[in-house]
Amino acid sequence: LYGIGPTSHQTPKCPPVTLSLYCNLTSPYSRKVRVVARELGIADSVKEIITDPFSAPAEFLAVNPLARIPALLTDHGEALPDSTLIVDYLLHRWPGRLRPLQVDPPDWPRARRERVAQGIIDAAVASVLERRRPDSIHYTPFLDRQNDVIERSLETLALEVDVLNAETPDVVDITVGVALDYIGFRLPWLEWRSRHKALAEWSDAFSSRPSMLETQPPRS
Ligand SMILES: N[C@@H](CCC(=O)N[C@@H](CS)C(=O)NCC(=O)O)C(=O)O
């Protein structure tokens, strides 16, 4: 029927996309996803649901049986755990804006860099959780091991500082930037910046991006 539906000069409106991201404001894994969403320019499509994984509501556990944040519930009903998987999903759904982790031909040094940065986050989070136990049962060799992991990994990243990009970052730069900011936030006594000055300068440049400023953890 004439007169019904959009006329030729009107563009049909796409329904707005809403993805639910279970996350919190201090988790580095959550921050990685939140920064990627902002760098992709799709933050308005991601509803952030602040969640404590240790007193997790049933609704969140139905999305992620692992009881970890971040977890994503898509508008198509897919429930995706794990920051790396969620980032893959976002880059697949909004292609062409950020260079993904897997590229063709493979870039193994870059893939290794991402794993090392992610390993810094893993070691730092493990250290934070160990320190949350009662003082009497802190296991010092475990804490020392995490510190050693972080220091060796920083030495590795410091050798590659020239290929890090704070102006047009990709997912690897984002993981590195989030990892460096997290150890400054949670493990400040490591004083890593004085030993790795060029890396610290890169971290400052990266952390001044709007996506990082908007996702800064509350420092209380
Ligand atoms: N490999 C997961 C790790 C996620 C993770 O461990 N998140 C922490 C918060 S920073 C968590 O939910 N911990 C709950 C627990 O350890 O049970 C990812 O990359 O998303």
Side-chain angles (χ1 to χ4, degrees):
L1 281 173
Y2 296 113
I4 296 184
T7 54
S8 59
H9 62 275
Q10 288 172 322
T11 318
K13 286 219 170 75
C14 295
V17 174
T18 304
L19 311 175
S20 299
L21 179 68
Y22 295 85
C23 60
N24 75 21
L25 303 180
T26 52
S27 153
Y29 304 103
S30 299
R31 192 176 191 194
K32 191 174 72 167
V33 175
R34 295 169 68 225
V35 169
V36 166
R38 283 159 179 79
E39 295 290 347
L40 285 173
I42 58 144
D44 287 350
S45 300
V46 179
K47 185 174 153 212
E48 297 182 349
I49 303 170
I50 304 301
T51 307
D52 175 358
F54 294 100
S55 58
E59 169 206 332
F60 161 68
L61 295 177
V63 172
N64 187 2
L66 305 174
R68 289 177 178 232
I69 52 167
L72 187 79
L73 181 62
T74 74
D75 50 336
H76 299 140
E78 288 119 346
L80 304 177
D82 200 282
S83 59
T84 303
L85 182 60
I86 297 169
V87 167
D88 279 352
Y89 175 86
L90 296 180
L91 266 58
H92 184 78
R93 184 136 179 206
W94 285 274
R97 302 189 199 175
L98 276 183
R99 193 168 178 232
L101 185 54
Q102 307 296 341
V103 287
D104 190 18
D107 182 342
W108 298 117
R110 178 174 172 270
R112 179 186 44 73
R113 188 154 57 249
E114 191 272 346
R115 283 293 89 194
V116 169
Q118 186 76 7
I120 290 179
I121 296 177
D122 293 340
V125 168
S127 179
V128 168
L129 290 180
E130 179 70 16
R131 283 194 171 79
R132 286 210 183 133
R133 295 159 175 260
D135 283 358
S136 59
I137 56 168
H138 284 180
Y139 187 49
T140 307
F142 178 81
L143 292 172
D144 291 344
R145 185 169 164 76
Q146 306 316 312
N147 289 349
D148 291 346
V149 165
I150 292 169
E151 183 54 28
R152 275 194 306 270
S153 302
L154 288 171
E155 284 165 11
T156 302
L157 292 180
L159 295 174
E160 303 181 356
V161 69
D162 290 345
V163 295
L164 296 175
N165 189 332
E167 282 77 45
T168 49
D170 64 11
V171 286
V172 177
D173 300 308
I174 291 171
T175 308
V176 174
V178 168
L180 296 178
D181 204 71
Y182 187 69
I183 51 175
F185 168 51
R186 284 297 197 212
L187 309 174
W189 54 86
L190 293 182
E191 296 184 339
W192 71 272
R193 301 172 65 88
S194 57
R195 291 187 300 285
H196 304 290
K197 292 203 168 64
L199 199 55
E201 272 171 33
W202 182 84
S203 170
D204 288 344
F206 183 81
S207 295
S208 67
R209 295 186 65 75
S211 61
M212 286 294 281
L213 296 173
E214 282 171 27
T215 57
Q216 261 182 358
R219 316 238 165 187
S220 54

